[in-house]
Amino acid sequence: MSIKAIEWLDDRVKILDQTRLPRKEVYLELSDYQSIASAIVELKIRGAPAIGIVGAYAIALSALKIESAQKDEFLAKLRIAIQTIAATRPTASNLFLAIDRMQKVAEAGEDVKQIKAALVNEAVKIHAEAAELTRRLSRHGAELIKDDFTILTHCNAGALATTGYGTALGVIKQAKEQGKNIKVLATETRPLLQGARLTAWELKQANIPFTLITDSMAGYFISRGEVDCVIVGADRIVANGDTANKIGTYTLAVLAKENGIPFYVAAPTTTIDTSLASGDEIPIEQRSPAEVTHIQGVSIAPEGTQARNPAFDVTPHRYITAIITENGIITEPYGEGIKGVV
Ligand code: MRU
């Protein structure tokens, strides 16, 4: 069964509510940019490429609703929607790349009617391209996966996060389709359990053998030689190869290096941001402490407990064995490699 995380329905967008998985498959039909912005903030739709796609649809939907026939007035109203979408989640570059593309299309348009049609076309194009990129990068990445490998993955970098095939999970699915005998160790991914809820759900659907572990068990399994490689997705890769991804990724990269196993990042080039020189410059989303003190709404800490909740961390490029993109696999020196694939 192919997973449809996002579907465009001409005057609304349909998303699979990821906060309800795996217990319920609930679809939401959203027809205005404000409700899409809320869905992004609440992680009903999540994952770097998926956020870019729904962000683009949100801008297209807001354009369709603007009544001004005069271009300047139309663009001023559109800018309000764009600012709202841009303020949802700061880390993933895909969102800002999609916004940039939509903005350019809006500004280049002749008249309001033509701009509205062009914005819808562009959003549909961003969606189709994103799906295709994950198929291509998965084919490249599968070359790195050998028969009988046990692969550790973190968070969810599958079809839910990307549409299409997935990035880290796309590589895993492709290796399985090539007939390789593989197993997956999936980290639960606290605080919001994307691994336990979403990766486990996708792997089960794809019939790929997997075992769920808590994040803190990774060192135990890696040090015992039970993991052949780690593969994760990315939210933003900068010019020197430093990579922001789900909190806990950096820990896994250090563990991989210490224990001599490869650490792979799989991401489309839409996740690469060459405007930043190093990972220190990546804005890291800080989410509500309640996501740490509570699990699915149930309090697990004494009342009044202080908590911190950075959603992402940055893995320095020296820990990354290779970055898998749709345009090929790159290794150190990343500065050169990144210029080559973008
Ligand atoms: O907070 P999330 O669930 O949106 O975080 C997602 C991740 O960190 C993914 O690994 C990343 O976006 C890559 S998805 C292909």
Side-chain angles (χ1 to χ4, degrees):
M1 188 198 103
S2 75
I3 296 164
K4 259 200 181 149
I6 305 168
E7 195 178 350
W8 174 243
L9 299 173
D10 295 328
D11 59 351
R12 60 203 192 283
V13 64
K14 186 171 161 185
I15 60 161
L16 175 53
D17 182 350
Q18 300 190 27
T19 60
R20 306 293 296 274
L21 288 170
R23 262 175 277 167
K24 283 210 161 76
E25 276 178 51
V26 177
Y27 289 87
L28 306 172
E29 292 189 8
L30 310 172
S31 57
D32 57 80
Y33 77 87
Q34 293 93 338
S35 56
I36 298 177
S38 304
I40 296 174
V41 171
E42 292 162 24
L43 308 195
K44 289 179 173 162
I45 182 81
R46 47 147 295 284
I51 299 171
I53 297 162
V54 288
Y57 282 136
I59 294 167
L61 283 170
S62 80
L64 294 180
K65 287 196 159 68
I66 296 173
E67 278 171 6
S68 329
Q70 207 261 330
K71 186 178 165 186
D72 286 346
E73 205 178 292
F74 169 86
L75 288 180
K77 289 187 179 159
L78 191 69
R79 237 169 269 134
I80 297 169
I82 290 176
Q83 279 161 6
T84 307
I85 295 300
T88 52
R89 299 195 74 192
T91 304
S93 29
N94 308 62
L95 177 63
F96 301 98
L97 192 73
I99 289 174
D100 197 49
R101 277 177 66 166
M102 296 296 280
Q103 217 156 5
K104 284 192 176 120
V105 165
E107 276 155 22
E110 304 265 302
D111 59 69
V112 170
K113 193 169 169 229
Q114 186 267 325
I115 296 174
K116 287 182 180 182
L119 285 172
V120 171
N121 282 343
E122 190 69 5
V124 170
K125 203 165 147 209
I126 288 171
H127 188 177
E129 283 170 10
E132 177 53 27
L133 297 188
T134 67
R135 283 192 190 89
R136 278 170 48 197
L137 80 83
S138 299
R139 283 196 284 271
H140 289 300
E143 290 166 23
L144 300 169
I145 309 296
K146 302 205 178 80
D147 204 25
D148 292 329
F149 256 25
T150 297
I151 304 151
L152 187 144
T153 189
H154 186 55
C155 194
N156 171 268
L160 287 170
T162 60
T163 75
Y165 219 64
T167 55
L169 272 195
V171 171
I172 291 169
K173 285 180 203 164
Q174 181 69 35
K176 159 92 174 164
E177 277 168 28
Q178 291 172 350
K180 290 172 188 158
N181 177 33
I182 50 164
K183 285 191 294 228
V184 176
L185 271 190
T187 56
E188 63 171 355
T189 319
R190 271 285 281 152
L192 294 175
L193 305 172
Q194 288 93 330
R197 296 186 303 104
L198 309 176
T199 296
W201 185 76
E202 283 199 41
L203 287 169
K204 193 172 167 203
Q205 299 221 353
N207 236 337
I208 297 175
F210 70 94
T211 304
L212 183 65
I213 60 171
T214 68
D215 301 348
S216 49
M217 292 173 191
Y220 172 86
F221 290 107
I222 293 176
S223 67
R224 284 165 57 100
E226 292 192 35
V227 178
D228 296 293
C229 71
V230 177
I231 176 161
V232 296
D235 284 83
R236 194 183 297 226
I237 300 170
V238 298
N240 69 351
D242 291 354
T243 294
N245 190 50
K246 179 53 56 196
I247 192 78
T249 301
Y250 169 51
T251 318
L252 293 171
V254 176
L255 278 170
K257 192 168 182 116
E258 170 67 16
N259 290 279
I261 61 167
F263 179 87
Y264 299 126
V265 171
T269 50
T270 47
T271 302
I272 297 177
D273 174 7
T274 51
S275 74
L276 302 185
S278 94
D280 300 341
E281 297 168 50
I282 301 175
I284 299 293
E285 178 182 3
Q286 304 291 325
R287 295 186 61 86
S288 165
E291 293 176 348
V292 176
T293 54
H294 291 63
I295 295 184
Q296 304 211 309
V298 178
S299 168
I300 53 160
E303 215 175 305
T305 295
Q306 302 288 310
R308 303 273 308 269
N309 189 11
F312 303 97
D313 57 26
V314 174
T315 299
H317 62 89
R318 66 179 180 278
Y319 291 105
I320 301 172
T321 313
I323 299 176
I324 303 157
T325 76
E326 76 278 9
N327 292 330
I329 298 171
I330 53 177
T331 52
E332 291 278 17
Y334 285 112
E336 289 303 300
I338 283 173
K339 272 191 211 136
V341 291
V342 172

